[in-house]
Amino acid sequence: MESLDIESECKQKKFALPVDSENKSINFPLFSVAKPHMRAFHLCWIQFFACFLSTFAAPPLLPIIRDNLNLTANDIGNAGVASVSGAVFARVAMGAACDLVGPRLASATLTLLTAPAVYLSAVADSATGFFLMRFFTGFALATFVSTQYWMSSMFSPRVVGMANGQAAGWGNLGGGVAQFVMPLVYSIILKTRATPFSAWRIAFFIPAILQMTSAFAVMLFGQDLPDGNFHQLQKSGDMYKDSASKVLYHGMTNYRSWITALGYGFCFGVELAVNNIIAYYFYDRFNLNLNISGIIAASFGMVNLFSRPIGGGLSDFMATKFGMRGRLWSWWIVQTLSGVLCIALGLIDTLSASIAVMIIFSVFVQASEGLTFGVVPFISRRSMGVVSGMTGAGGNVGALITQVIFFRGSEYTTEKGITYMGIMIIACSLGITSIYFPQWGGLFCGPKENFTEEEYYLREWDSKEQEQGLHEASMKFAEGSRNERSRKTKSVPTEENTPVHA
């Protein structure tokens, strides 16, 4: 007992925040900059914000860019598809990279590699150039995966939903900020006597500079894990350097990864699609000027300031009451309601009502994103990065599908495309009902009798790896995830009777 007290006291001296057995913070003081937990939070959301701003810097300026480059409706639709398609495989790769080299190095490298594409936007002079610019800039959206991985590595299961939701929500704000900042920057540049066709090009230097600065900040001040960086820990022998093939295998063979990818495709994917079309939708349908349509469109993304964190917080709250089953129920209900609101947005034809429904729809669709990543960290401990990457990639695939089917070319009017997209949200959200954890249960079924968290996470390690003690981190995670048990149903033996793993 005395040794436990000494160990706890040492941890309190080592970290500014109270931590669990994995040295993950059990609190989430939003405005703290305590090292390493809260510093990692602020660095990763700022970096993701910068990448999101760069990716969606073009849509609010489309009326000007369209005239300058003589873009057709098909050209604009293809560019929208390009902006979200590039990150599909990049997100899966980012997940594996996080598992192998850590979120700090993986995210900063990608952010720096994609920054030149933002600068080169200034020299696009054709539909092809515009397409390529949006395609390569969109790779930066894969930093979302490192953001979720980093937060799941820094914060304990009891607050991981809130941490993931807050980091991603504030990062996603970049899409909303771009809707009014880029027209504002464009207007300021015009006042320096620049021509309209030069002003939009110069405006792209602002997001490019911010993106590069955020990458350097992550490299200089970030830390992968509470105990240090991946490279240092692997070099000292304190951390096992995992096999890439096994990490990929365990992530991709867990069916829950594919279901979360599908669900995320029709919440975050929908947000990406709407970011691409909402400004010129209001511009064209309601005959608004560029600044007003940009401000209205910005309100869709700006709701991320609180909506996605609310989703993550709701997931954690439901877990305290009903365990993992509470997380799943709240995710399914909120995402289904977002589909209903999306249908309504497409059917309404008055400006004031469209704005009101758009904002409410935004709250629900972005809360669904936070609820998704309240579940994702529990699917796999060994392959957490791959699962996060697959889920994040699902978001881009969803955006790609909706962009190609509903918002590319002239087959559907934009309002009809929005309505049909709402129907797809409801249909695809049904997949959430199939997620089942034997130790915790699912939406409609309770847990398997006497099945423990240790048994679930131990399945990712073979007997030889267990003999070498490589599974110990997973066992610590299993211990911390016992809070996911339903308060009404005992899914496993009491803690006193649970086998202890070396």
Side-chain angles (χ1 to χ4, degrees):
M1 188 70 185
E2 185 179 345
S3 63
L4 289 174
D5 291 339
I6 293 172
E7 182 182 355
S8 176
E9 187 178 339
C10 288
K11 284 182 179 180
Q12 293 304 318
K13 289 179 179 177
K14 185 177 179 182
F15 300 102
L17 301 176
V19 296
D20 63 10
S21 60
E22 292 186 277
N23 291 337
K24 295 179 179 181
S25 175
I26 60 174
N27 291 339
F28 184 68
L30 182 59
F31 298 106
S32 168
V33 290
K35 184 180 178 182
H37 304 90
M38 296 309 298
R39 180 180 291 185
F41 163 74
H42 290 294
L43 286 171
C44 73
W45 82 255
I46 290 171
Q47 179 181 237
F48 185 43
F49 174 94
C51 292
F52 222 98
L53 177 64
S54 295
T55 301
F56 292 99
L61 299 179
L62 267 177
I64 308 302
I65 299 172
R66 176 175 59 188
D67 293 341
N68 187 189
L69 304 183
N70 297 316
L71 302 177
T72 65
N74 274 335
D75 292 332
I76 293 172
N78 288 336
V81 170
S83 69
V84 296
S85 60
V88 173
F89 297 107
R91 286 189 167 201
V92 176
M94 175 62 80
C98 287
D99 282 323
L100 298 173
V101 302
R104 170 180 155 270
L105 181 60
S107 63
T109 300
L110 180 64
T111 303
L112 286 173
L113 286 175
T114 52
V118 189
Y119 284 111
L120 290 173
S121 301
V123 297
D125 60 359
S126 66
T128 301
F130 183 64
F131 176 92
L132 291 173
M133 174 269 288
R134 297 219 65 197
F135 177 74
F136 288 111
T137 302
F139 274 67
L141 290 180
T143 52
F144 163 78
V145 176
S146 57
T147 296
Q148 301 300 277
Y149 184 98
W150 211 348
M151 294 301 90
S152 297
S153 300
M154 286 289 182
F155 295 93
S156 75
R158 71 177 71 179
V159 294
V160 72
M162 175 61 77
N164 275 335
Q166 199 75 53
W170 282 11
N172 282 9
L173 273 175
V177 170
Q179 299 286 352
F180 73 85
V181 164
M182 293 305 290
L184 178 62
V185 171
Y186 167 78
S187 299
I188 292 172
I189 295 170
L190 277 181
K191 291 179 180 178
T192 66
R193 297 185 179 179
T195 66
F197 290 171
S198 297
W200 76 261
R201 298 173 185 277
I202 298 169
F204 274 87
F205 280 81
I206 300 301
I209 291 169
L210 179 60
Q211 183 170 321
M212 287 188 66
T213 303
S214 69
F216 286 123
V218 166
M219 286 294 292
L220 290 172
F221 304 114
Q223 182 174 306
D224 290 314
L225 301 169
D227 297 318
N229 290 318
F230 267 50
H231 178 69
Q232 296 168 336
L233 295 172
Q234 289 169 350
K235 190 175 180 180
S236 66
D238 292 328
M239 181 180 179
Y240 168 62
K241 189 171 184 177
D242 214 335
S243 162
S245 60
K246 290 188 176 182
V247 166
L248 284 168
Y249 173 79
H250 288 293
M252 299 189 79
T253 56
N254 191 321
Y255 84 92
R256 300 167 192 84
S257 305
W258 297 97
I259 301 301
T260 54
L262 174 65
Y264 199 62
F266 288 89
C267 54
F268 181 67
V270 166
E271 181 185 353
L272 291 181
V274 172
N275 277 332
N276 269 328
I277 59 99
I278 198 67
Y280 72 81
Y281 168 66
F282 278 98
Y283 180 87
D284 288 337
R285 189 173 190 196
F286 298 105
N287 298 313
L288 303 177
N289 65 42
L290 188 65
N291 284 332
I292 297 300
S293 61
I295 291 170
I296 294 171
S299 64
F300 180 84
M302 293 296 288
V303 173
N304 268 300
L305 183 65
F306 60 87
S307 58
R308 185 159 183 159
I310 284 175
L314 175 61
S315 184
D316 290 338
F317 173 77
M318 293 298 286
T320 64
K321 300 296 182 182
F322 308 104
M324 176 57 69
R325 299 182 73 184
R327 291 187 190 270
L328 293 170
W329 269 106
S330 54
W331 177 19
W332 181 47
I333 291 171
V334 171
Q335 187 154 320
T336 299
L337 289 174
S338 75
V340 174
L341 288 163
C342 187
I343 293 171
L345 177 61
L347 295 175
I348 293 171
D349 60 1
T350 61
L351 177 60
S352 57
S354 291
I355 294 172
V357 172
M358 181 197 71
I359 292 173
I360 299 170
F361 163 57
S362 179
V363 171
F364 276 79
V365 78
Q366 291 162 13
S368 299
E369 298 162 17
L371 285 157
T372 305
F373 274 85
V375 174
V376 166
F378 299 96
I379 291 175
S380 170
R381 173 61 179 84
R382 185 175 190 178
S383 304
M384 181 172 61
V386 172
V387 175
S388 297
M390 290 175 65
T391 305
N396 286 72
V397 171
L400 181 63
I401 291 171
T402 54
Q403 195 84 38
V404 168
I405 295 176
F406 304 127
F407 307 116
R408 180 175 175 269
S410 56
E411 185 174 350
Y412 299 107
T413 61
T414 304
E415 52 268 31
K416 281 189 177 179
I418 292 171
T419 298
Y420 295 151
M421 183 168 66
I423 295 171
M424 284 192 73
I425 293 171
I426 295 171
C428 292
S429 297
L430 290 171
I432 300 168
T433 63
S434 68
I435 295 178
Y436 178 80
F437 292 91
Q439 71 275 38
W440 300 316
L443 264 75
F444 304 113
C445 301
K448 186 176 179 181
E449 188 175 358
N450 294 329
F451 196 97
T452 66
E453 289 81 1
E454 284 79 2
E455 287 178 86
Y456 177 80
Y457 293 109
L458 201 60
R459 295 187 299 186
E460 297 182 323
W461 303 91
D462 60 35
S463 57
K464 186 177 179 180
E465 290 170 329
Q466 291 178 40
E467 288 173 6
Q468 296 173 349
L470 304 181
H471 66 301
E472 289 180 1
S474 292
M475 294 304 95
K476 286 183 179 180
F477 183 80
E479 180 184 354
S481 66
R482 287 178 183 147
N483 288 329
E484 300 305 308
R485 301 174 186 177
S486 171
R487 299 299 174 267
K488 294 184 178 181
T489 306
K490 292 292 183 181
S491 59
V492 292
T494 58
E495 198 166 312
E496 291 77 17
N497 296 327
T498 302
V500 177
H501 295 262

